[in-house]
Amino acid sequence: MLAMQGLTLPIAAAIIAWIGNHTTMNYWPLLGVAVVVIGFAVRANPALVVVIAGIVSGLLAGLPVPDLLALIGNKFVASRNLLVLLLTLPTIGLLERAGLREHAAAFIARMRTFTLARLLIAYLGVRQLLSMLGLTGIAGHPQTVRPLLAPMAEAAAEKIDPQLNAEDRDCVKALCAATDNIGLFFGEDVFIAFGAVLLIQGFYAQNGINLDPRSISLWALPTALAAFAIQSLRALRLQRRLRDKRESHAAH
Amino acid sequence: MLRIEYVYWLCGALLAACALHDLRARRFAAAAFWGILAVIFLGGDALPAQGVGVSVIVLALIAGSGALRRAPASVRAEPVEARSIDALRQAQGERLASAMRLGHRLFVPALVIPFGTLALSLAQPYSPWATLDRSAFTLIALAFACFVATLAALWLTRSSPRNAVGEASRLLDALSWAALLPMLLAMLGAVFAATGVGGAIAHIVAAAIPTQSPIACLLAFAFGMVAFTVIMGNAFAAFPVMMAGIGLPLLIGQHHAHAAALGALGMLTGYCGTLLTPMAANFNIVPAALLELRDPNGVIRAQWPTALALLAVNFAMLWLFAL
């Protein structure tokens, strides 16, 4: 397995060199992509892989080292907005120490009507609707999934099977995170003032095609409905799987 | 004047406090890691860019060395472990008691963050900062809401600010290098763009397909959106590349595809790729760390069936309506 991955790099290099000899384009920076693929495949530390890929790609494009360092530094500083979510950590940490997760779980355990599937489907629907209104920042993994949705879903799963094993517990938690992502992605494109629609419209405008943003966002609606239906079915399937498992416990 | 830098300074101050907390607990690698990041947040654009570039490499080396993994207090492994299980039980008992006592009031600071952000962003047009960039203002609103929520949580739980730093540091150490990955990937995307990786990929794809067949062009476009999003971790980066390489010249120019449908459905096809890739760290890897999943790719494992089904839906729609 490892030997095969070791071979990928020279083969990729040979292909790129061959293509490079037949056109004027510089294909060498593509090796940066190969570094990413191989790095993730051999499960090297992703942070290290990403930085090495950037350096490889930059050097092969012929960037001088000082310019490459400046490019990395500038772009890193320019993306500080991506880490602002860490400001939620003191609140979440304090509330967790005061029993927020325990309370969220107890709250769901008391409510008979809130089954696992209903909880996930309700969250998905609300998340999609909020995203369609442009309110994407209102929920997210640190703000709502870890402190609220995941403990609630775990409690709902324990109502089905009190002897929930670690594997199924991880399954339930992972589906919570997936539900948040899918609700966000396949809701936001329906909102015209959101980045994606403006990006599409801007790209076309630059190339001489003028479109109304509403005509673009309308085309995102069928996929939004399909995403809701598919993810809801998967929540129901997980619930049924846990129920079947509980019944096979009971049968033994 | 309200500036986005204030938000970054607040982040820098929190990172510095967490670094100090790690230093006190003698976790030197973590202290160095968060300390360097704190300097980058506090210094920002004023720092020499090449110096930041070197620091980014140092951060990656610390992450890659594995030194960030939290080692249990090294000496006397056995008795410490037994005691820590007792301590865990006691902590859990305290949390349950506190949960019973505080009840629904516990939800209040947690809800201050989303609803505070929302209220402030809605109020922007009526404020003196109406002309400020909207996304910058949203971040400022989020930071302010987080600050108020922290105060509310401190008051509700009768804790000291030192506890708040301790708890933030605990969560930050649990996230570890995964917290940094979104920024590193944004940096990588920019480097790929600057070195012409996108153009090279579009060039190869366009050279490899029979361009006179509309369905082959459409397949190449959809597959290219997914593959390039998987590589870059971001559909926004893939979209202009695939549109410039295949969408505009071949699908719209040669085969007269419907522009609005092609744009919207093409982007959504890229989102299916986002669900599949560890490169979309803030959606797929950070949550796995936050939820303490044993498999770092657990979230992707939970997403791929939905992603493939939606890919089929998008492709069918593209075929029916865009061509």
Side-chain angles (χ1 to χ4, degrees):
Chain A
M1 185 69 191
L2 215 69
M4 247 178 67
Q5 275 148 0
L7 271 177
T8 325
L9 200 61
I11 292 173
I15 294 172
I16 292 167
W18 181 83
I19 299 169
N21 289 337
H22 288 76
T23 56
T24 52
M25 205 154 187
N26 180 8
Y27 288 99
W28 285 105
L30 284 179
L31 274 186
V33 177
V35 169
V36 170
V37 173
I38 294 167
F40 276 103
V42 302
R43 292 180 170 249
N45 181 286
L48 192 58
V49 168
V50 166
V51 171
I52 292 175
I55 294 172
V56 165
S57 192
L59 290 179
L60 291 175
L63 277 179
V65 174
D67 292 5
L68 178 58
L69 285 177
L71 178 67
I72 291 176
N74 274 329
K75 296 304 175 186
F76 190 76
V77 166
S79 61
R80 280 176 297 172
N81 59 331
L82 292 171
L83 209 61
V84 169
L85 279 178
L86 72 88
L87 291 176
T88 59
L89 296 183
T91 308
I92 302 303
L94 282 172
L95 293 176
E96 280 187 359
R97 206 172 66 139
L100 174 64
R101 280 144 70 96
E102 284 76 6
H103 180 68
F107 177 55
I108 285 299
R110 278 199 306 269
M111 303 252 287
R112 273 185 160 274
T113 46
F114 257 98
T115 61
L116 177 62
R118 278 184 198 159
L119 176 74
L120 287 172
I121 293 170
Y123 184 87
L124 176 67
V126 171
R127 183 76 161 125
Q128 271 194 311
L129 284 175
L130 288 173
S131 303
M132 284 179 193
L133 298 173
L135 307 175
T136 51
I138 200 163
H141 298 287
Q143 306 104 300
T144 49
V145 178
R146 176 177 164 130
L148 298 172
L149 181 64
M152 284 179 173
E154 279 181 71
E158 277 169 358
K159 273 199 290 191
I160 300 172
D161 183 357
Q163 304 157 334
L164 196 67
N165 64 27
E167 208 171 301
D168 288 335
R169 192 176 292 277
D170 272 10
C171 249
V172 170
K173 288 197 285 190
L175 201 66
C176 290
T179 302
D180 187 78
N181 282 339
I182 288 157
L184 171 67
F185 293 178
F186 297 98
E188 63 186 0
D189 261 16
V190 183
F191 179 61
I192 54 165
F194 179 70
V197 173
L198 296 182
L199 181 88
I200 296 166
Q201 192 216 7
F203 179 86
Y204 277 133
Q206 271 173 25
N207 290 284
I209 301 174
N210 288 307
L211 292 174
D212 181 357
R214 271 170 300 181
S215 70
I216 299 171
S217 62
L218 199 63
W219 283 105
L221 200 55
T223 307
L225 295 174
F228 180 79
I230 292 167
Q231 190 64 13
S232 298
L233 276 177
R234 295 202 46 227
L236 283 165
R237 273 195 56 190
L238 177 69
Q239 175 166 291
R240 193 178 322 140
R241 191 169 68 80
L242 292 178
R243 278 193 182 141
D244 289 350
K245 210 165 178 181
R246 195 251 337 250
E247 266 153 36
S248 74
H249 283 321
H252 282 300
Chain B
M1 187 55 207
L2 211 50
R3 283 167 57 204
I4 186 76
E5 264 70 30
Y6 298 158
V7 174
Y8 299 144
W9 290 344
L10 195 60
C11 292
L14 179 62
L15 284 165
C18 290
L20 268 178
H21 188 268
D22 276 328
L23 195 62
R24 277 220 193 93
R26 307 183 67 79
R27 286 190 294 270
F28 296 116
F33 192 78
W34 302 122
I36 292 172
L37 201 57
V39 171
I40 294 177
F41 267 79
L42 291 170
D45 296 318
L47 295 172
Q50 293 173 351
V52 179
V54 172
S55 324
V56 170
I57 295 172
V58 173
L59 287 173
L61 288 175
I62 297 176
S65 72
L68 287 180
R69 210 150 292 148
R70 196 179 245 190
S74 52
V75 274
R76 295 173 304 155
E78 277 269 280
V80 167
E81 211 162 72
R83 204 188 306 156
S84 69
I85 287 174
D86 269 357
L88 273 179
R89 285 229 179 87
Q90 195 191 345
Q92 196 181 11
E94 277 167 18
R95 284 204 303 276
L96 278 173
S98 155
M100 295 284 277
R101 184 162 42 87
L102 294 171
H104 286 326
R105 275 179 293 169
L106 275 169
F107 289 135
V108 175
L111 295 175
V112 163
I113 297 176
F115 287 101
T117 311
L118 173 63
L120 286 173
S121 352
L122 290 181
Q124 191 200 0
Y126 312 102
S127 72
W129 305 290
T131 53
L132 206 66
D133 177 54
R134 201 176 159 79
S135 62
F137 189 84
T138 308
L139 280 185
I140 294 170
L142 174 68
F144 188 75
C146 286
F147 186 71
V148 173
T150 306
L151 292 183
L154 283 172
W155 179 77
L156 180 72
T157 61
R158 305 277 184 272
S159 311
S160 69
R162 185 182 242 180
N163 292 132
V165 170
E167 291 302 313
S169 174
R170 172 176 66 84
L171 292 174
L172 206 54
D173 283 344
L175 279 175
S176 179
W177 49 262
L180 202 62
L181 211 46
M183 288 179 76
L184 290 175
L185 286 162
M187 177 276 292
L188 182 65
V191 171
F192 277 176
T195 56
V197 166
I201 289 183
H203 214 257
I204 290 176
V205 174
I209 54 172
T211 51
Q212 67 281 9
S213 153
I215 191 81
C217 292
L218 195 62
L219 267 172
F221 175 74
F223 180 74
M225 273 304 293
V226 174
F228 204 62
T229 304
V230 165
I231 290 166
M232 303 290 287
N234 188 341
F236 286 13
F239 184 78
V241 173
M242 284 301 140
M243 279 309 273
I246 304 173
L248 275 181
L250 299 176
L251 285 166
I252 294 179
Q254 202 174 321
H255 299 296
H256 311 291
H258 187 291
L262 186 72
L265 291 166
M267 185 67 92
L268 291 167
T269 306
Y271 285 4
C272 296
T274 315
L275 294 174
L276 294 171
T277 178
M279 300 294 283
N282 44 347
F283 298 116
N284 297 337
I285 303 298
V286 173
L290 266 177
L291 296 175
E292 292 156 36
L293 301 182
R294 284 166 306 167
D295 178 2
N297 292 318
V299 177
I300 297 174
R301 230 173 272 274
Q303 277 169 176
W304 72 263
T306 308
L308 292 190
L310 281 174
L311 190 59
V313 169
N314 280 335
F315 189 75
M317 297 248 313
L318 274 170
W319 193 10
L320 287 174
F321 301 112
L323 269 187

